[in-house]
Amino acid sequence: MKDLKELKNEELQTLLKELKQPAFRVKQIRKWMLQGAGSYGEMTNLPQALRDGLASRYSWNVLTVELVQCSASDGTRKYLLGLPDGNKVEAVFMAYDYGNSLCISTQVGCSMGCRFCASTIGGKIRDLSAWEIYYEYMTCMKDAGQPINHIVLMGMGEPFDNYEEVSAFLRLIHDEDGIGLSYRNITLSTCGLVPRIRQFGEEFPQVNLAISLHASTQEEREGLMPVAKAYGLDELMAACREHAEKTGRRVTFEYTLIEGRNDGEENADRLVKLLGGMLCHVNLISLNPVAETGMAGSSRKWAEKFRARLEVQGIPATVRRELGRDIDAACGQLRKKHSSQNIQ
């Protein structure tokens, strides 16, 4: 049975007309979705007959919390969330000085094939719908019992490979009848689907854009990220410069430091030339361990040296804090399985 939350407003209007209901019911039902309602039974401002009529035609599914793992070192919480069809995704709750942030998934698995990432092991199972992405947020917020004022679309999946549903989610989370989250408090990370970068800049200029770069040459990037064969480094950088100029917002470049692979001084110098003159910031990440990759991350000490080499040449950079590493919740570690450790 199709989920009612999948209906567009026009379809919902048609349905309610068939059920001989006034048009204002559309807004009431939509508001229940935006508030994360768990069932038709919670919709107390709808007549019982209407709730029964809707339930006989459409399901109202939710996500379930299958497992919560809590980091002993920093309090990061990783959620294993069950989807209505039995698939699972992971989301990560992180506390910062500036507020709480949630890293959410946009697909079950990923088809991009980045060599260092756990999410792509096993490929992509399916896209998430807009309401499923939205309910990731609502489910984790309710469980955490704290407001979440920042979102990063950096979990499982490539957001631009699920562009329409991700776009619908962004509009849902921004809707003033619900969370009303500012677009400026949302960051979307992509491995570099160039046409979508340009479309995104037109449609969501206030949402922060992050690019998974991880290399300073085309050859180096192809060896780590198959997407580079479809969209070359020159083409990607041109789109990023265009985005920064058009939106007036800096582009964040995520650069995973892999020992002996892309972390040499010459890599840093090439990165400076690649990004020179652009409104940007580099987020350095020591590769987090994923057994299947056979790769090791650079040390924190070396990451700081790499950062300093960028900054002295005019490229602003930071080394990302390693949150949730002990529960496989750090960058590049999310996948469709879980461990039995650190369970709450």
Side-chain angles (χ1 to χ4, degrees), residues 18-285:
E18 291 174 1
L19 295 172
K20 297 182 170 53
Q21 291 292 319
F24 69 81
R25 298 289 187 205
V26 172
K27 187 170 184 178
Q28 288 180 320
I29 293 171
R30 179 178 171 81
K31 194 162 185 177
W32 281 114
M33 183 190 73
L34 292 171
Q35 292 174 356
S39 68
Y40 287 114
E42 295 181 19
M43 304 177 192
T44 52
N45 61 349
L46 302 182
Q48 185 64 53
L50 173 57
R51 283 182 269 169
D52 292 342
L54 293 172
S56 68
R57 293 167 172 80
Y58 294 92
S59 61
W60 187 278
N61 294 307
V62 296
L63 274 60
T64 56
V65 177
E66 303 287 327
L67 181 71
V68 181
Q69 293 173 265
C70 186
S71 170
S73 60
D74 55 50
T76 296
R77 297 166 69 88
K78 182 171 74 167
Y79 289 89
L80 182 72
L81 302 172
L83 303 172
D85 64 357
N87 278 300
K88 295 175 175 58
V89 293
E90 292 185 327
V92 181
F93 174 92
M94 299 161 286
Y96 292 95
D97 292 340
Y98 57 78
N100 296 324
S101 182
L102 187 70
C103 176
I104 57 180
S105 298
T106 56
Q107 296 176 316
V108 182
C110 183
S111 62
M112 295 296 106
C114 298
R115 310 300 186 206
F116 47 83
C117 184
S119 297
T120 197
I121 296 171
K124 184 182 84 171
I125 303 300
R126 70 170 176 87
D127 294 329
L128 296 186
S129 67
W131 81 259
E132 287 174 321
I133 303 172
Y134 186 84
Y135 267 56
E136 278 188 75
Y137 174 92
M138 297 301 297
T139 303
C140 293
M141 183 176 67
K142 289 178 179 180
D143 184 86
Q146 301 178 48
I148 297 173
N149 41 29
H150 291 82
I151 291 176
V152 290
L153 283 80
M154 295 183 183
M156 294 166 56
E158 162 56 56
F160 283 169
D161 189 39
N162 186 19
Y163 190 88
E164 296 306 321
E165 294 300 321
V166 167
S167 297
F169 158 74
L170 291 173
R171 295 186 179 97
L172 286 175
I173 202 73
H174 184 64
D175 195 309
E176 292 183 355
D177 284 337
I179 300 301
L181 191 66
S182 169
Y183 282 143
R184 293 176 182 269
N185 286 9
I186 303 172
T187 299
L188 181 148
S189 176
T190 176
C191 66
L193 306 187
V194 171
R196 292 305 196 189
I197 291 174
R198 293 197 166 98
Q199 183 179 358
F200 187 70
E202 293 287 344
E203 296 180 357
F204 297 98
Q206 292 183 311
V207 176
N208 301 299
L209 178 66
I211 304 293
S212 292
L213 186 60
H214 312 302
S216 57
T217 68
Q218 175 64 19
E219 181 181 8
E220 191 177 86
R221 197 162 192 263
E222 282 188 17
L224 292 172
M225 307 176 70
V227 70
K229 296 176 182 179
Y231 303 105
L233 190 56
D234 290 344
E235 185 181 5
L236 173 61
M237 297 311 300
C240 291
R241 289 181 182 277
E242 178 186 311
H243 181 90
E245 291 170 4
K246 181 176 293 185
T247 65
R249 300 183 65 76
R250 73 180 188 181
V251 176
T252 295
F253 289 96
E254 295 158 338
Y255 193 98
T256 295
L257 292 165
I258 305 169
E259 186 177 20
R261 187 88 178 242
N262 67 350
D263 65 345
E265 293 180 348
E266 69 280 6
N267 298 95
D269 294 341
R270 286 197 299 264
L271 195 56
V272 169
K273 292 180 181 179
L274 191 67
L275 304 181
M278 190 191 315
L279 181 61
C280 68
H281 181 270
V282 176
N283 195 355
L284 297 169
I285 310 154

Side-chain angles (χ1 to χ4, degrees), residues 305-319:
K305 287 184 177 180
F306 196 99
R307 177 199 59 76
R309 195 172 183 92
L310 295 180
E311 291 204 326
V312 78
Q313 297 181 78
I315 302 298
T318 53
V319 178

